[in-house]
Amino acid sequence: MAGRGREQLELERLGEAARAGSCPPPSPPPSACSRQAWSRDNPGFEPEEEEGAAAAAGPVLEMDVEWGSPAASLGSGAAGQGGGGGAGRRQRRRLPAARGGAAEPPSRLQGPPDGAAPHRAAWAKRLAGRLRGLWGTRLMEESNTSRERYLKSVLRELVTYVIFLVVLCVLTYGTVSSSMYYYTRVMSQLFLETPVSKMEKTDFKTLSTMDDFWKFTEGPLLDGLYWDMWYNNKTMAENKSFIYYENLLLGVPRIRQLKVRNGSCSIPEDLKDEIKDCYDVYSVANEDTAPFGLRNGTAWTYTNEKDLNGSSHWGLLATYSGAGYYQDLSRSREVTAVQIASLKNNLWLDRGTRAAFIDFSVYNANINLFCVVRLLVEFPATGGLLTSWQFQPVKLIHYISTFDFFLAACEMAFCLFVLYYMVEEILEIHIHRLHYFRSLWNCLDIVIIVLSVAAIGISIYRTSTVDMLLKKLLEDQNSFPNFEPLAYWQMQFNNIAAVTVFFVWIKLFKFVNFNRTMSQLSTTMSRCVKDVVGFAIMFFIIFLAYAQLAYLVFGTQIDDFSTFQDCIFTQFRIILGDFNFTEVEEANRILGPIYFTTFVFFMFFILLNMFLAIINDTYSEVKSDMAQQKAEMELSDLIRKGYNKAMVKLKLKKTTVDDISESLRQGGGKLNFDELRQDLKGKGHTDAEIEAIFTKYDQDGDQELTEHEHQQMRDDLEKEREDLDLDRSSLPRPLSSRSFPRSLDDSEEDEDEDSGHSSRRRGSSSSGVSYEEFQVLMRRVDRMEHSIGSIVSKIDAVIVKLEAMERAKLKRRDVLGRLLDGVTEDERLGRDNEIHREQMERLVREELERWESDDTASQMSHRLGTPLGLNGQPRSRNSRPSSSQSDGIDGGGGNGGSNIHV
């Protein structure tokens, strides 16, 4: 019992120490107990010390005191003292440790086990909020958030995205260099532009017969592949070929062909006696797989694509499979020459041959690049041959130089960014569900993530495969190293990287659109979509009609019109001014000039100008609409505001309070809105801030501050300056009970919410709002009341004018009715015309006098700034006239100078 009593006394002592120096516990501290008021009354008091200062004073203990919550009480006695406050109000206090240097045992400071659960739940909630803040974007902001907070989220998202863009550009441009171009050029010059012999000018590009093909293989191909002698006839390394003395030939080259079987096409009955053999165009179904010739070795027997580890190839005439009849050449020039001569003498190429491939790979250690070369000769069914080629410089060995390791770090950063954006998009989809996919920018985000993941997968596959392939090559250097699959995937990787970089740059428009000027482009395009779609339908109807005409007329004679696809691209070139009129005229002397003249007239002079007119008209409309819109805070304004605040904190620039005070001193007795706006605009303040300041104090809404309003602004400025001075001396941020308008102070509150000490600066509440948040809401309501009052006064003035116009209409109708009734009555009774004219003049004079008196009363009411009711009395703001009142009362109209003609 004695031990329990001592423990109870100790707990009560700690509870009293926790409440020392603060306001009474039953309720949250009012404005007099706020931190700033406490600092004003006690200048030496510093409620929030830095961690270093607290540590210097000695170890501290932190504990949570929950106002009126039994779960957070230190015992039954402490709970009784803390009752009566708002439930859930929690404040954090620091308690100094014992002077002995050792803190009290934790068991004496902890409450009952039931109080730990809410504390852990709150801590977990704060941690979850901070983690979610890492992925905070504009789509995750609530709809009722302020414009400044929204722009802060956009700015944070923009900065993160720019870093991602920089990392991606470093990765893509780091894997490409000008050496690749020069490597491709020298290799292509060696094999494509070398004549087949000294007496002939035919090279690989101009081969036309099978005989030319064999001349190429026996001449330029052998000379280009095997460099075993220096220019002084000195022998190089044995069984090694260095093309241009720098590029090592990897393994041995390979020559392969694809054939079609005899009888794959049909011969007409009338010509069967003359034509015995028929070989169709190439297709997988027509492919010949039977042995031929010597019928031994891989050159004369068919090998399927799987055994060759090959892949299909898209040629000029068809898409060819990776199978066929192949011959691996040798590392020696002499042996290779014998192999080629054997193939030639035994008629390896015949009428059924449709394609011949020459494949080899080289490596340049100076620039750490492989070059995978493929020379293709196609033998069409028409006879002759067509040549094409591929030189693919690829970097397959990574992480050698210092720059390579820097790129490796960028690759890891890129993977982290992709993971970050995947989580972000998942959160946004979870919040918005299917509405997420209605935005084009969101779909673009998904495309970028998918392409990035595909690029990462290809890169991992390429890195793992090249090591295995090089290991196999080193074990058997007399085999053919098939780098074609790696070159294919490297090409796909380059294509994906290029498209990804393109889309990532395009996405910058998402953030640029927050600028008022830049948003005109996207708005113009979105508005003219319907008109452009209608124009595109009309354009392509005419365009495709001309393409069909050109293909049918010129397709058999001009290469640019040989296929329908070529016709389409050629017509686009004609629109851009790139054309050859001579070829068109020679192909058809009549239809050629007619086609060309009409196409240029309709497409260039009419349709293209219609398209430009649609864009120009829409742009003019968008520009005029934006000029009428109210200016909102932009990203540039937010950046400028942050810069100004930083300059103020560094004491390199005056504060907003000083700028306004100076403008008031220069304005004298009265201050016009335009003058204040022009002055503060020149000092770097936004239109939203200036309008908020003026609306707060312009109570009568006349766009001019009177002496009374002027003095009220001065008083608030002085109090604001005092708060700022106290803030500089004691607190990191001001939290005064009297604050300036929303645009100047609420950003401070928003920054407090973003900081890590927000839980200590603003009393967190589980069942309401804190006192500082309540003050912010009060300022917002006050500002709304002033704004609504000005709007209501203007609406009242408009209603008064409309009522006056209605009464004038009714009065005119009444007067004209009485005049007409009088004329009708005189005609019926036969009265004298002179008497009749005098009566009409008297009626008109009375009406004019009544209108003039009403007009004078209306002008007096406008001069006094008070709208008049129907009876000439001042109207209350909430009063509204009924239709019966407007019909039954003779009021003055606004057209006192109107004339009545009888």
Side-chain angles (χ1 to χ4, degrees):
M1 294 294 292
R4 186 179 305 172
R6 285 194 300 270
E7 185 177 357
Q8 181 68 25
L9 292 175
E10 181 67 14
L11 291 175
E12 291 179 0
R13 184 181 64 81
L14 289 175
E16 292 173 359
R19 293 188 295 271
S22 63
C23 292
S27 61
S31 59
C33 297
S34 63
R35 290 184 306 166
Q36 188 149 358
W38 183 266
S39 301
R40 188 179 301 170
D41 298 335
N42 303 275
F45 175 69
E46 296 182 0
E48 268 189 278
E49 295 290 336
E50 296 295 333
E51 297 296 334
V60 295
L61 299 177
E62 294 185 359
M63 64 182 301
D64 290 336
V65 179
E66 186 166 342
W67 302 100
S69 176
S73 61
L74 299 175
S76 60
Q81 295 177 6
R89 177 69 65 179
R90 185 182 296 272
Q91 292 189 357
R92 200 166 186 82
R93 295 287 183 260
R94 292 174 175 269
L95 301 181
R99 294 201 173 186
E104 292 288 337
S107 61
R108 292 193 177 186
L109 297 177
Q110 294 178 352
D114 295 339
H119 178 67
R120 286 196 299 267
W123 179 85
K125 188 176 181 180
R126 288 196 298 269
L127 179 61
R130 290 179 183 276
L131 290 177
R132 184 176 179 180
L134 294 176
W135 286 274
T137 63
R138 61 187 184 89
L139 289 180
M140 297 183 187
E141 293 289 344
E142 296 181 358
S143 58
N144 58 353
T145 186
S146 64
R147 175 73 175 177
E148 184 173 355
R149 188 176 181 85
Y150 178 78
L151 289 179
K152 283 182 179 180
S153 178
V154 172
L155 182 60
R156 179 174 55 186
E157 187 178 356
L158 173 60
V159 172
T160 306
Y161 187 78
V162 169
I163 297 175
F164 168 71
L165 176 60
V166 171
V167 171
L168 180 60
C169 290
V170 170
L171 278 178
T172 52
Y173 294 129
T175 57
V176 180
S177 64
S178 58
S179 300
M180 290 185 172
Y181 165 73
Y182 293 116
Y183 198 13
T184 303
R185 191 179 71 171
V186 297
M187 296 298 293
S188 61
Q189 287 176 348
L190 178 62
F191 291 98
L192 302 181
E193 299 178 7
T194 303
V196 297
S197 65
K198 296 182 179 179
M199 304 300 296
E200 301 181 34
K201 295 183 178 180
T202 303
D203 54 19
F204 182 80
K205 294 180 179 179
T206 58
L207 298 180
S208 58
T209 63
M210 288 186 180
D211 185 44
D212 292 339
F213 172 79
W214 289 117
K215 288 181 181 179
F216 169 77
T217 55
E218 294 174 338
L221 181 62
L222 290 179
D223 295 339
L225 288 176
Y226 301 101
W227 291 57
D228 52 2
M229 300 290 290
W230 283 95
Y231 53 86
N232 60 355
N233 295 328
K234 185 176 179 180
T235 305
M236 296 181 63
E238 186 178 359
N239 291 332
K240 290 185 180 180
S241 175
F242 286 89
I243 301 174
Y244 282 118
Y245 312 112
E246 301 292 348
N247 305 285
L248 175 64
L249 178 64
L250 300 175
V252 297
R254 171 177 288 179
I255 183 170
R256 176 173 62 94
Q257 75 158 326
L258 288 170
K259 302 179 63 176
V260 295
R261 63 180 180 272
N262 187 14
S264 55
C265 55
S266 301
I267 302 174
E269 293 291 337
D270 297 339
L271 299 176
K272 281 188 176 180
D273 296 336
E274 301 294 334
I275 302 175
K276 303 296 183 182
D277 301 325
C278 180
Y279 297 90
D280 200 357
V281 296
Y282 175 81
S283 66
V284 177
N286 296 332
E287 194 171 312
D288 188 6
T289 60
F292 74 103
L294 301 180
R295 295 178 179 272
N296 58 353
T298 58
W300 309 98
T301 58
Y302 182 83
T303 306
N304 58 37
E305 182 175 330
K306 183 178 181 181
D307 294 337
L308 283 177
N309 192 24
S311 59
S312 60
H313 181 86
W314 187 13
L316 298 176
L317 300 177
T319 300
Y320 303 97
S321 68
Y325 306 87
Y326 74 94
Q327 174 67 54
D328 287 340
L329 304 180
S330 175
R331 295 175 62 85
S332 171
R333 179 189 178 95
E334 291 76 12
V335 176
T336 301
V338 172
Q339 292 174 330
I340 292 176
S342 175
L343 295 176
K344 178 181 178 181
N345 294 333
N346 291 282
L347 202 64
W348 190 62
L349 299 180
D350 57 13
R351 290 183 58 190
T353 302
R354 288 293 173 259
F357 297 85
I358 301 174
D359 297 312
F360 60 93
S361 302
V362 296
Y363 173 71
N364 191 312
N366 301 330
I367 54 179
N368 189 25
L369 286 178
F370 290 81
C371 187
V372 182
V373 182
R374 167 166 285 184
L375 305 177
L376 172 61
V377 180
E378 299 178 70
F379 300 90
T382 58
L385 57 85
L386 299 173
T387 59
S388 58
W389 52 88
Q390 278 187 357
F391 294 86
Q392 302 178 35
V394 292
K395 185 175 182 179
L396 299 177
I397 301 177
H398 298 273
Y399 317 126
I400 296 178
S401 63
T402 305
F403 184 71
D404 290 340
F405 286 105
F406 171 72
L407 290 180
C410 292
E411 288 176 354
M412 290 188 292
F414 176 76
C415 294
L416 292 177
F417 270 111
V418 172
L419 181 62
Y420 170 84
Y421 281 116
M422 288 178 65
V423 175
E424 177 182 299
E425 301 308 317
I426 290 173
L427 290 176
E428 291 180 356
I429 293 174
H430 176 72
I431 293 174
H432 298 280
R433 304 294 180 181
L434 294 179
H435 294 278
Y436 170 87
F437 297 97
R438 294 184 179 180
S439 172
L440 179 62
W441 298 117
N442 295 338
C443 297
L444 185 61
D445 291 337
I446 298 296
V447 171
I448 292 174
I449 291 175
V450 171
L451 292 176
S452 301
V453 172
I456 293 173
I458 293 175
S459 180
I460 294 174
Y461 168 79
R462 179 192 59 190
T463 304
S464 60
T465 306
V466 69
D467 295 337
M468 181 174 58
L469 190 59
L470 289 176
K471 183 179 179 180
K472 182 179 179 181
L473 175 63
L474 293 175
E475 293 176 354
D476 185 9
Q477 298 185 8
N478 292 320
S479 62
F480 170 71
N482 189 8
F483 285 96
E484 182 61 28
L486 284 178
Y488 169 79
W489 286 112
Q490 179 64 34
M491 183 185 300
Q492 302 307 317
F493 176 82
N494 294 337
N495 296 337
I496 292 175
V499 174
T500 303
V501 172
F502 172 78
F503 283 145
V504 168
W505 276 102
I506 291 298
K507 190 187 170 183
L508 280 179
F509 280 103
K510 173 183 178 181
F511 304 100
V512 173
N513 284 340
F514 285 95
N515 183 277
R516 187 181 182 86
T517 304
M518 297 298 180
S519 62
Q520 293 181 3
L521 174 62
S522 60
T523 308
T524 301
M525 297 304 296
S526 61
R527 281 198 186 183
C528 67
V529 166
K530 293 183 179 180
D531 295 334
V532 170
V533 169
F535 166 80
I537 294 174
M538 177 177 61
F539 175 85
F540 281 107
I541 287 175
I542 301 176
F543 188 86
L544 294 176
Y546 273 102
Q548 290 279 3
L549 173 65
Y551 176 62
L552 296 175
V553 176
F554 314 117
T556 59
Q557 303 179 47
I558 303 177
D559 180 57
D560 291 338
F561 297 93
S562 58
T563 63
F564 185 71
Q565 295 86 349
D566 290 339
C567 290
I568 293 176
F569 291 119
T570 302
Q571 289 188 159
F572 278 117
R573 290 168 52 194
I574 292 176
I575 294 176
L576 297 176
D578 180 17
F579 58 89
N580 190 342
F581 177 72
T582 304
E583 289 184 349
V584 175
E585 186 180 22
E586 291 176 354
N588 194 310
R589 291 186 176 181
I590 298 176
L591 292 179
I594 293 176
Y595 159 79
F596 180 80
T597 305
T598 56
F599 178 80
V600 171
F601 177 76
F602 284 108
M603 304 302 297
F604 186 79
F605 291 104
I606 296 180
L607 294 180
L608 189 60
N609 285 284
M610 286 178 61
F611 175 75
L612 296 177
I614 291 172
I615 300 297
N616 289 332
D617 291 345
T618 308
Y619 179 77
S620 300
E621 294 176 1
V622 170
K623 195 171 183 180
S624 61
D625 292 346
M626 285 191 170
Q628 297 175 2
Q629 291 178 358
K630 183 179 180 181
E632 291 185 342
M633 191 176 188
E634 300 179 359
L635 275 177
S636 57
D637 298 330
L638 181 64
I639 296 173
R640 188 185 303 111
K641 183 176 181 180
Y643 169 76
N644 293 332
K645 290 172 67 175
M647 296 296 289
V648 168
K649 289 184 178 180
L650 295 175
K651 297 184 179 179
L652 298 177
K653 188 177 181 180
K654 294 182 179 180
T655 63
T656 308
V657 176
D658 297 333
D659 291 339
I660 299 175
S661 300
E662 184 177 352
S663 300
L664 292 177
R665 285 194 299 269
Q666 294 176 359
K670 288 189 176 182
L671 186 62
N672 194 301
F673 174 73
D674 295 331
E675 297 175 358
L676 179 64
R677 179 179 178 276
Q678 184 177 1
D679 191 11
L680 294 182
K681 258 288 200 183
K683 296 177 181 178
H685 300 287
T686 62
D687 289 333
E689 293 178 347
I690 301 170
E691 185 176 355
I693 294 169
F694 207 88
T695 304
K696 180 178 177 65
Y697 297 100
D698 186 18
Q699 299 179 358
D700 52 5
D702 59 352
Q703 297 294 310
E704 187 172 310
L705 295 182
T706 62
E707 189 66 31
H708 175 68
E709 296 167 346
H710 200 162
Q711 186 60 38
Q712 184 179 358
M713 181 181 283
R714 286 180 181 274
D715 295 341
D716 287 349
L717 287 173
E718 291 299 329
K719 293 178 181 178
E720 188 70 19
R721 184 180 289 106
E722 292 177 4
D723 294 342
L724 289 174
D725 293 339
L726 288 173
D727 172 60
R728 290 172 182 171
S729 61
S730 61
L731 295 176
R733 295 186 184 275
L735 288 173
S736 78
S737 57
R738 290 292 299 269
S739 298
F740 217 54
R742 164 78 180 107
S743 59
L744 299 179
D745 286 336
D746 291 354
S747 59
E748 299 286 338
E749 295 289 339
D750 294 340
E751 291 180 3
D752 285 345
E753 293 174 6
D754 296 336
S755 64
H757 305 283
S758 61
S759 61
R760 289 180 297 177
R761 290 178 180 171
R762 295 177 294 114
S764 61
S765 172
S766 60
S767 62
V769 297
S770 64
Y771 176 73
E772 287 77 9
E773 292 173 339
F774 176 73
Q775 290 296 321
V776 172
L777 296 176
M778 287 291 293
R779 288 196 299 273
R780 292 182 182 178
V781 172
D782 186 40
R783 179 188 170 196
M784 291 175 61
E785 287 180 352
H786 289 306
S787 302
I788 293 173
S790 176
I791 295 172
V792 170
S793 63
K794 293 178 181 178
I795 293 175
D796 288 341
V798 172
I799 292 175
V800 169
K801 291 181 180 179
L802 292 176
E803 292 170 352
M805 293 172 63
E806 185 67 23
R807 291 197 305 272
K809 288 181 181 180
L810 294 175
K811 187 164 288 298
R812 282 199 204 97
R813 188 180 306 164
D814 184 29
V815 170
L816 291 177
R818 283 190 287 173
L819 290 175
L820 291 176
D821 291 342
V823 171
T824 304
E825 184 69 20
D826 290 342
E827 290 178 354
R828 187 175 61 83
L829 298 177
R831 294 180 180 177
D832 189 7
N833 290 335
E834 188 68 25
I835 299 173
H836 170 65
R837 185 169 57 250
E838 290 179 357
Q839 291 179 352
M840 290 183 62
E841 288 178 356
R842 179 172 54 81
L843 289 174
V844 170
R845 192 177 299 108
E846 290 177 357
E847 293 301 328
L848 289 177
E849 290 176 356
R850 186 181 296 112
W851 289 1
E852 287 176 358
S853 63
D854 292 343
D855 183 57
T856 303
S858 177
Q859 292 179 358
M860 289 294 295
S861 66
H862 282 292
R863 191 175 296 112
L864 293 175
T866 304
L868 294 178
L870 299 178
N871 296 322
Q873 300 297 328
R875 296 176 63 247
S876 63
R877 182 166 294 177
N878 297 326
S879 63
R880 291 290 181 270
S882 62
S883 59
S884 60
Q885 289 176 330
S886 61
D887 293 340
I889 301 176
D890 293 339
N895 296 325
S898 301
N899 297 322
I900 296 179
H901 301 278
V902 180

